[in-house]
Each structure stands twice: as C-alpha cells, then as structure tokens.
C-alpha cells in the first residue's frame, strides 16, 4: 500500500515516534567498545518470526539466511559450498563486528560462520567456513556512503521537515520527487525501520552530508526467497559484557545442599584421637570425566549459562581442552591470525530446542564444544580492491575456524 | 605497537542516547519473557555437552546407560537429573597453606562424599580461598565423579547383595585399602573415615584392611574410593558370556533424529509472499 500523505509536520513527528515504538525491533548489536582482553558475550535474544526473514548486515543473529550487504560482485558460489560434500552451507552465525583501530576504523565488517548440516560433514572441521566481509573505506568524506548512524528522533524530524540545513540534510528521502511536506508513506516507514535497526549506533560527528540509499521493499519483514539453502532456526543476539567474579560465585550455587557451615564447625570439633588430617597440600580440580582445563571452561560458562558466543578481539580464547592446534597465517598478508570470537555450546542447545518442532535437519551431527574463529589482525583485503574503485569496494576474505569436538 | 591502539568491538558506545538505551532495555525485557519459562536463572540448566543435551531431553533415563558405554560425565546437572536421591556430606575441611613473601596464604580444602546408599558414590576434593566456595566446588566435583559400586554375596545368594563381590584393593599414595567380603550382620569393619564412604556406597557388610600412612586421610579416603571403583572392573565368571554390544546413546539418537537434508526445504505453498500490495 503506497500513498502520499500531506500532513502537518508536527503530527507526523508524533506519529513517527509512535510507529517507532510499534515496530518490532531487531536490535542490531553495537556493543560497547571492548578494550583489549575484555570479553563481550552474545546472549540470545528474540526469535525471528520466520526463519528466512531478511535482516540487514548490521544485525547479529544466529541461523536464518545470510544478509549480504549491497555488493558489487555477489558472493561467489564456491564460498558457499561445503568442501567435503559440495552441498550448500547454512548460516550458523552472522556477527556484526566493526573495528576502531588507530589508523582506520572499519565500520562495515561482518563475520559469517557457515557450516554443513549433512551427517558426515558435521563432525569434520573442514566443513566449516568463516567469511569476513568488510568495506574498505578509503574516504570518509564521500557522498556515496550509505546511511551511517543517526538518532531516530533526529532522523524522523529531518524526514518530516526535510529542511535542507547542513545537519538534517543528512537524510534525503527521495532525490527529486518530494516536496517539503509531502512524504511517501512507504519511504517514511522504511526510514523508520532503518532507524529502528540502527537504533543504538553512535552518531558520526563530522556533520558530513550523507545520502541514504532507498531500501527496496515493504515495511513488513521481507523474506529471502532462497529455498535451496538449508536454514537453521533464527534468533537475534544482544550483547552483554562479561562482568566480574561475583557472578560466578552465584552461578556455582548448588541448590538444596544438605550442608550448613555450622554443622561443619561442629563436626570438625569432635574428632576422635589419632585422626588428624595431615600432610594435605593444594590440589588442582579433577573429576573422573573432566580435567582442569575443562572445568575452567565450564566455570566461565556457568557464570552466564546462556552465552552463545564470546567476542574478544585480540584477546584470549577459552579452551576446553589443553592441546589446541595453532591457527595458521592469513593467506593474503601472511601475518599470524588472531583470536576474535568463539561460538559456545548453548547455541547448539537453543537450535536443537527450536528444531524439535520442525525436525528436518540434523543438528545432532554437530558435537562441537566450541568453534574458535581466528581472523587476520591487519584486516587485509583480497587485493581486487584498488584506489580507483573508490570507497564502495567490499571484500570477502575467508578466515579460519578451529572446531573443538566434544568426545 | 600497532596493537595498542586497536580496540575491537562491535561498535561504539551508546553515548547516552535515550533511543538506544531504551530500545535495548525494552528489547531485553521482551526477550526474556518470550524465551524462558518460569524457572529462575539459577535453576535453568543449559546443557553444554552432547550427553547433557540427551539427558535434558529425556532421551537417557538411567545412569546405567552412561556407565555401560563409559561416557565421561562433564556436567553435574546430568547426575542431578538422573540420580534423584543423592545425599552429600562434608568429610573434612582442612586449611592448606602456602608460603609466600607476604606471609602465609591459607586456602581451604574440602572433602565431600556424595551417594545414594544404593550403589552410587562419588568423592570430590576442592581447594578454594573460602570455605563455602570449597564446599560448593567439592560437591560439584563429587557429582562428576559418581561411580557404580558392585555388590555381591559372601555365601548363600539369598536376598539382595550386601557385600563386595570379591576381594578388591585400592591404592592412593602410600595407602592401600583392601576390602574382603563379609557375612551378613558383620557390618562395616573399617576406620571412621572409609566407613562413611562405604555407607554412602550402600555396602552393608565388609572387612577392610589398610596399610601405609593412613594418617594422610586424604589419601586414605581416595584409596577407599579407588577400591570401590574396581569392584566393577573385576572379571568374575558371571561375565564370561559373550558381550552383546549395543549402540552408544550418541549413535542411537543421532540416527533416530537425523533426517536427510533435502527435506530442509519448506514447500513453496507455505511461503507467505511479501510483495508490495
């Protein structure tokens, strides 16, 4: 339904705010900047209404279909096929991970983790593929950039009034079609949805003019017409910082213990003679089936039992076993890859819960304890991106994933 | 260093904007209600291992299936789910000291034994800076180490098994503990510390004999536990028949629940078209 409305701008502002609240948010993940070594956890959020629904590439989600941003060259088919069986890979996780480094900041950087669902491939680490898609930004001050972060209120105001001032002209609804007060209803709704999607972005303070690309499509969530790719149940992710130790003690609480501290003090009092516990020394944790490394891994998991992934750019991974193969070197620049994030087992549990309803794929083939993803520390490009093509070049680089199995 | 300036992250700070934070808070409230049941955060168990997922979905109903295939138990909630009547008791909490430059650092070591009195017993040892943490940790470790205990008869096979099936011996450090079958009514003839472990195991009558420095009671209790582990390791004539192997739960349930991936496609009629009206 499309229509042109001509309403006074203050009514429109109110209605925009109302619509903003009414729309179903898919919250994109803009986590707080992490310092070196700080860990950000991806916690499970809302389920998608339909597993094939389209988000944008600023969203972090698990399952569903990958949201590719506007690419000059579409993603090559070879990257989306399994190495072992040749079948199509399905999206396991799509994580929006921009970086701010000293020399440059990469805002549009997304990591896609793809896996094969066939029974035999699932347990083989070669069937996993990690793609890093980033936009090589050469020139910040360009006009051709798509919309960067904007405050929702400000954007709605500027959409409503469409005044050509230096700041509010950062959003231009349509290039030449609109007058000042007539606004295409669909474009308005799209603008609001985009604003909702980018709701937690920080604003670029440079005040440059941005022109926004019109997002094609209706207001309701669009589905991706891809019936050939296997699809996992889809849910969105919100972020949480890994907080302090206090949480862990609470998590270790074992309810219903029949021991109280007073009883212990009493029992330690009446010891019979000749029995004194001597010669005890410090002992590391050990259980029959679990060694010390695994118990530390489990302790971190118990602090936040629902964590789906741990993100710590350049930090340390949490290894459940002692001997983990070292990551290789980047194929383009040759530098040793660095840890970026790892997927955790509660993710499999959530997917399995959802798949019980429509059991048409084998998640049970997956028995990994964690998938650790290493990326190139220099965020290099694939070399086809040169100065001439300007700043709209996007590269897809394949990164490395180490799969640790749960035997 | 180039790395020093690097800051990874999913994005910038929120910058204190109302829309962003409100959206985040709203979203979080929505999500929590939708996904979770009534259980509080502490009670809800999200399984980590494959065995945990099988137990949570009630595909594995008895702990004997786990023991039959010697599957390592890595989550204590598995034991909680499968063995309901498990009792625990702290045997001892000792301070353990380490000499540092700034004096002595004292930590507490807790010994906890868990058992249901009917053939399952576990022993956990944990060192921690606080007593409560040590006890909690030791209970979890004890649950992870629950083993089955085989009981047999001394003479006539009347009634239920009440003693160890044969003479077994266990060792830890310098302490060796030997358990000998006893007739009914003999009771547990052992020192106070291993007697507790044997009571939790569900053994009613046994003669024991120990050797070595049993003053190191940590080793003593571990030697008793090791001895109990060996009761099912001893090959008696009952086990002479050929074993009929069955599928491990991993394979059993993978085959059952896996479907060919071609069925991942939804039939086209179910796809709602979202074209512009």
């Amino acid at each position: 339904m499309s229509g042109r409305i001509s309403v006074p701008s203050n009514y429109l502002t109110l209605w925009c705010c109302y619509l903003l609240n009414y729309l179903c948010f898919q919250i994109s993940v803009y986590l707080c900047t992490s310092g070196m070594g700080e860990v950000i956890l991806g916690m499970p959020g809302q389920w998608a209404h339909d597993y094939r629904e389209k988000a944008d590439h600023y969203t972090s989600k698990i399952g569903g279909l990958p949201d590719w941003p506007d690419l000059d060259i579409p993603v090559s088919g070879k990257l989306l096929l399994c190495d072992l069986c040749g079948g199509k890979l399905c999206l396991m996780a799509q994580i929006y991970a921009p970086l701010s480094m000293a020399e440059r900041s990469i805002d549009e950087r997304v990591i896609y983790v793809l896996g094969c669902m066939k029974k035999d491939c699932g347990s083989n680490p070669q069937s996993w593929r990690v793609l890093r898609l980033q936009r090589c930004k050469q020139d910040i001050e360009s006009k051709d950039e798509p919309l960067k972060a904007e405050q929702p209120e400000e954007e709605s105001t500027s959409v409503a009034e469409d005044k050509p001032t230096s700041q509010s002209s950062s959003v231009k609804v349509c290039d030449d079609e609109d007058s000042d007060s007539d606004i295409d209803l669909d474009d308005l709704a799209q603008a609001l949805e985009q604003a909702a999607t980018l709701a937690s972005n920080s604003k670029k303070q440079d005040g440059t003019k941005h022109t926004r690309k019109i997002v094609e499509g209706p207001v309701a969530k669009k589905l991706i017409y891809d019936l050939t790719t296997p699809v996992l149940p889809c849910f969105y992710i919100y972020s949480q910082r890994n907080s302090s130790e206090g949480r862990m003690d609470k998590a270790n609480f074992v309810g219903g213990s029949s021991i109280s501290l007073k009883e212990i003090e009493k029992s330690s009092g009446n010891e019979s003679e000749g029995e004194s516990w001597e010669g005890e020394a410090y002992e590391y944790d050990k259980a029959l089936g679990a060694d010390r490394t695994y118990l530390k891994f489990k302790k971190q998991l118990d602090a936040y039992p629902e964590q789906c992934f741990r993100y710590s750019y350049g930090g340390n991974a949490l290894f459940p076993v002692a001997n983990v193969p070292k990551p290789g070197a980047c194929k383009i620049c040759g530098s040793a890859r660095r840890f970026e994030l790892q997927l955790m087992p509660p993710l499999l549990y959530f997917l399995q819960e959802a798949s019980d309803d429509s059991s048409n794929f084998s998640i049970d083939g997956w028995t990994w304890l964690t998938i650790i993803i290493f990326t190139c520390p220099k965020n290099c490009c694939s070399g086809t991106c040169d100065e001439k093509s300007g700043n709209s070049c996007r590269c897809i680089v394949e990164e490395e994933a180490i799969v640790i199995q749960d035997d | 260093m180039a790395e020093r300036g690097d800051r990874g992250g999913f994005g910038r700070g929120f910058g204190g904007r109302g829309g962003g934070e409100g959206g985040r808070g709203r979203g979080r409230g929505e999500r929590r209600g939708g996904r979770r049941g009534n259980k509080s955060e502490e009670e809800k168990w999200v399984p980590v291992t494959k065995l945990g997922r099988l137990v949570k979905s009630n595909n594995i109903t008895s702990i004997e299936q786990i023991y039959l295939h010697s599957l390592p138990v890595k989550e204590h909630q598995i034991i909680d789910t499968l063995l309901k009547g498990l009792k625990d008791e702290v045997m001892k909490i000792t301070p353990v000291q380490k000499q540092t430059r700034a004096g002595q650092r004292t930590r507490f070591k807790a010994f906890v034994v868990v058992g249901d009195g009917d053939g399952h017993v576990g022993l956990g040892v944990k060192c921690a800076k606080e007593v409560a943490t040590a006890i909690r940790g030791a209970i979890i470790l004890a649950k992870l180490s629950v083993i089955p205990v085989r009981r047999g008869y001394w003479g006539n096979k009347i009634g239920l098994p009440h003693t160890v099936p044969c003479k077994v011996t266990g060792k830890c450090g310098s302490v060796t503990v030997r358990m000998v079958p006893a007739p009914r009514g003999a009771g547990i003839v052992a020192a106070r510390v291993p007697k507790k472990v044997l009571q939790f195991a569900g053994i009613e009558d046994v003669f024991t004999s120990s050797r070595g420095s049993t003053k190191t009671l940590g080793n003593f209790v571990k030697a008793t536990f090791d001895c109990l582990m060996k009761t099912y390791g001893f090959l008696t004539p009952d086990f002479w028949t050929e074993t009929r192997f069955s599928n491990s739960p991993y394979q059993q349930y993978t085959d059952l629940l896996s479907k060919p991936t071609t069925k991942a496609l939804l039939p086209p009629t179910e796809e709602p078209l979202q074209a512009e009206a």
Side-chain angles (χ1 to χ4, degrees):
Chain A
M1 110 190 152
S2 75
R4 294 201 156 237
I5 53 168
S6 176
V7 294
S9 55
N10 47 357
Y11 277 107
L12 207 55
T13 317
L14 280 175
W15 184 70
C16 295
C17 294
Y18 173 78
L19 196 62
L20 207 62
N21 290 333
Y22 176 74
L23 282 178
C24 170
F25 286 114
Q26 36 174 338
I27 305 293
S28 67
V29 182
Y30 270 80
L31 304 181
C32 302
T33 316
S34 76
M36 283 287 282
E38 195 176 40
V39 177
I40 295 176
L41 304 174
M43 307 293 276
Q46 242 177 0
W47 287 96
H49 292 301
D50 185 295
Y51 295 157
R52 285 167 198 273
E53 76 184 8
K54 182 172 171 54
D56 58 15
H57 64 280
Y58 296 109
T59 315
S60 294
K61 66 178 187 183
I62 305 286
L65 288 170
D67 299 307
W68 307 110
D70 300 323
L71 294 170
D72 305 325
I73 316 159
V75 185
S76 89
K78 200 166 51 75
L79 285 177
L80 297 178
L81 296 179
C82 173
D83 279 338
L84 300 170
C85 65
K88 281 207 171 188
L89 293 173
C90 68
L91 178 74
M92 169 68 115
Q94 166 185 320
I95 294 144
Y96 176 61
L99 294 178
S100 60
M101 301 190 289
E103 52 276 6
R104 57 180 176 152
S105 68
I106 307 176
D107 274 341
E108 306 213 358
R109 181 172 176 270
V110 193
I111 295 186
Y112 300 90
V113 183
L114 304 157
C116 184
M117 285 207 290
K118 300 239 170 63
K119 230 193 317 183
D120 307 317
C121 301
S123 45
N124 193 325
Q126 286 176 6
S127 66
W128 292 90
R129 184 163 287 138
V130 178
L131 299 177
R132 165 170 59 87
L133 191 148
Q134 70 187 34
R135 176 193 181 77
C136 313
K137 196 157 58 170
Q138 310 292 342
D139 184 15
I140 300 177
E141 301 279 324
S142 155
K143 286 190 190 159
D144 291 340
E145 280 178 352
L147 174 69
K148 294 293 179 194
E150 286 291 330
Q151 262 192 354
E153 297 85 27
E154 186 170 320
E155 188 172 69
S156 57
T157 326
S158 61
V159 162
E161 294 166 21
D162 206 26
K163 282 199 287 268
T165 58
S166 64
Q167 201 159 29
S168 61
S169 65
S170 47
V171 174
K172 271 178 65 176
V173 179
C174 245
D175 282 331
D176 45 4
E177 289 183 0
D178 291 335
S179 63
D180 276 311
S181 54
D182 280 359
I183 290 164
D184 196 327
L185 192 61
D186 287 328
D187 287 341
L188 176 61
Q190 286 162 27
L192 290 172
E193 179 162 301
Q194 269 230 324
T197 312
L198 305 171
S200 44
N201 294 0
S202 68
K203 198 168 69 162
K204 274 235 166 346
Q205 297 291 342
D206 49 11
T208 53
K209 272 177 137 182
H210 302 280
T211 40
R212 183 168 58 85
K213 283 194 208 152
I214 305 295
V215 173
E216 305 298 326
V219 174
K221 294 261 180 333
K222 186 176 154 200
L223 295 181
I224 303 180
Y225 297 135
D226 188 352
L227 298 175
T228 58
T229 314
V231 155
L232 287 173
C234 178
F235 61 91
Y236 300 104
I237 292 280
Y238 73 93
S239 73
Q240 196 167 351
R241 265 186 210 275
N242 198 7
S243 75
S244 62
E245 302 290 320
R247 193 74 166 76
M248 277 188 235
D249 281 342
K250 203 166 43 154
N252 273 334
F253 171 81
V254 176
S257 161
S258 57
I259 297 166
S260 74
L261 274 177
K262 290 206 183 91
E263 281 175 13
I264 297 157
E265 256 119 60
K266 247 194 291 179
S267 67
S268 67
N270 36 325
E271 258 183 31
S272 46
E273 324 73 37
E275 264 187 21
S276 55
W277 292 60
E278 290 179 0
E280 296 296 334
Y282 181 83
E283 226 177 274
Y284 290 120
D285 293 346
K286 201 175 84 72
L288 269 184
D291 63 347
R292 184 181 169 214
T293 322
Y294 175 80
L295 287 169
K296 286 190 179 182
F297 174 79
K298 185 77 170 42
K299 186 172 162 189
Q300 291 284 336
L301 259 176
D302 282 340
Y304 290 94
E306 293 198 330
Q307 54 187 275
C308 289
F309 60 81
R310 296 173 75 88
Y311 184 92
S312 171
Y313 188 72
N316 294 323
L318 195 64
F319 294 118
V321 294
N323 302 327
V324 176
K326 287 261 181 287
C330 174
K331 291 193 184 62
I332 301 171
C333 64
S335 46
R337 289 197 172 113
R338 216 161 44 167
F339 170 70
E340 178 150 2
L341 73 133
Q342 64 181 125
L343 303 179
M344 304 296 273
L347 203 157
L348 273 184
Y349 172 68
F350 292 132
L351 290 176
Q352 197 168 47
E353 260 194 338
S355 81
D356 285 339
D357 313 330
S358 62
S359 56
N360 46 11
F361 39 76
S362 60
I363 282 194
D364 298 307
W366 281 333
T367 55
W368 46 265
L369 261 184
T370 182
I371 297 184
I372 309 181
I373 291 162
F374 294 91
T375 56
C376 175
K378 301 208 182 79
N379 287 294
C380 44
C381 243
S382 55
T384 56
C385 146
D386 52 0
E387 296 294 325
K388 274 186 287 208
S389 65
N391 44 19
S392 58
C393 120
R394 291 181 196 264
C395 341
I396 297 187
V397 177
E398 195 175 330
E399 300 284 9
E400 184 172 348
I402 291 184
V403 181
I404 298 185
Q405 292 291 343
D406 169 21
D407 0 80
Chain B
M1 273 208 313
E3 290 185 30
R4 202 157 280 231
D6 293 357
R7 280 184 307 158
F10 286 93
R12 320 293 190 275
F14 285 97
R17 53 198 52 231
E21 284 186 0
R24 189 172 181 226
R26 250 202 313 269
R28 200 181 279 171
E30 272 174 11
R31 285 176 204 112
R32 292 256 164 115
R35 178 180 289 267
R36 256 183 246 183
N38 304 335
K39 295 189 178 185
S40 69
E41 274 192 48
E42 275 130 31
E43 292 171 21
K44 178 157 169 109
W45 168 36
V46 178
V48 165
T49 54
K50 184 158 174 71
L51 188 64
R53 289 192 283 270
L54 286 174
V55 170
K56 179 100 197 251
S57 57
N58 291 323
N59 285 326
I60 293 183
T61 45
S62 111
I63 204 173
E64 263 57 50
Q65 288 173 284
I66 297 179
Y67 290 143
L68 184 62
H69 297 100
S70 302
L71 305 172
V73 173
K74 293 189 176 175
E75 298 182 76
H76 71 275
Q77 295 97 335
I78 295 175
I79 304 287
D80 279 333
T81 320
L82 295 174
L83 283 178
K84 296 289 185 189
L86 216 55
K87 290 195 211 38
D88 47 44
E89 180 167 333
V90 176
M91 304 201 52
K92 183 67 184 176
I93 301 175
T94 53
V96 169
Q97 283 174 343
K98 173 180 168 176
Q99 195 75 14
T100 61
R101 256 178 292 158
Q104 288 180 335
R105 183 176 62 175
T106 305
R107 277 187 280 207
F108 295 98
K109 187 165 174 180
F111 290 84
V112 168
V113 63
V114 307
D116 62 349
D118 196 25
H120 299 102
V121 66
L123 176 71
V125 179
K126 168 91 177 152
C127 288
K129 281 185 228 161
E130 293 167 25
V131 173
T133 317
I135 293 173
R136 263 186 247 128
I139 293 175
I140 292 175
L141 289 177
K143 287 183 180 168
L144 288 179
S145 310
V146 168
I147 54 165
V149 170
R150 187 174 183 209
R151 291 159 292 170
Y153 299 96
W154 172 80
N156 292 331
K157 291 193 168 53
I158 306 171
L160 288 174
H162 59 103
T163 185
V164 278
C166 54
K167 294 180 192 173
V168 281
T169 168
K171 184 171 160 68
C172 177
S174 72
V175 181
T176 67
V177 169
R178 183 187 196 217
M179 300 202 305
V180 169
R184 259 183 228 280
I188 301 177
V189 180
R192 192 184 71 95
V193 159
K195 184 169 183 170
K196 182 128 289 170
V197 179
L198 294 169
Q199 277 168 343
F200 272 85
I203 292 179
E204 295 162 15
D205 315 286
V206 68
F207 296 137
T208 62
S209 156
S210 57
R211 190 199 141 90
S213 170
T214 58
K215 267 202 300 199
T216 51
L217 287 164
N219 282 344
F220 197 5
V221 72
K222 283 190 213 159
T224 321
F225 188 69
D226 180 52
C227 194
L228 289 171
M229 260 204 282
K230 288 188 175 170
T231 55
Y232 260 116
F234 203 102
L235 182 68
T236 59
D238 317 336
F239 295 144
W240 283 356
T241 57
E242 286 260 352
T243 325
R244 211 166 343 134
F245 294 106
S246 60
N247 262 342
S248 121
Y250 294 159
Q251 285 159 327
Q252 193 178 350
Y253 291 104
T254 307
D255 291 341
L256 202 70
L257 295 175
S258 75
K259 297 266 197 300
T261 48
T262 50
K263 288 213 184 120
L265 312 177
L266 291 174
T269 50
E270 284 179 21
E271 287 282 338
L273 289 181
Q274 290 290 334
E276 190 72 43

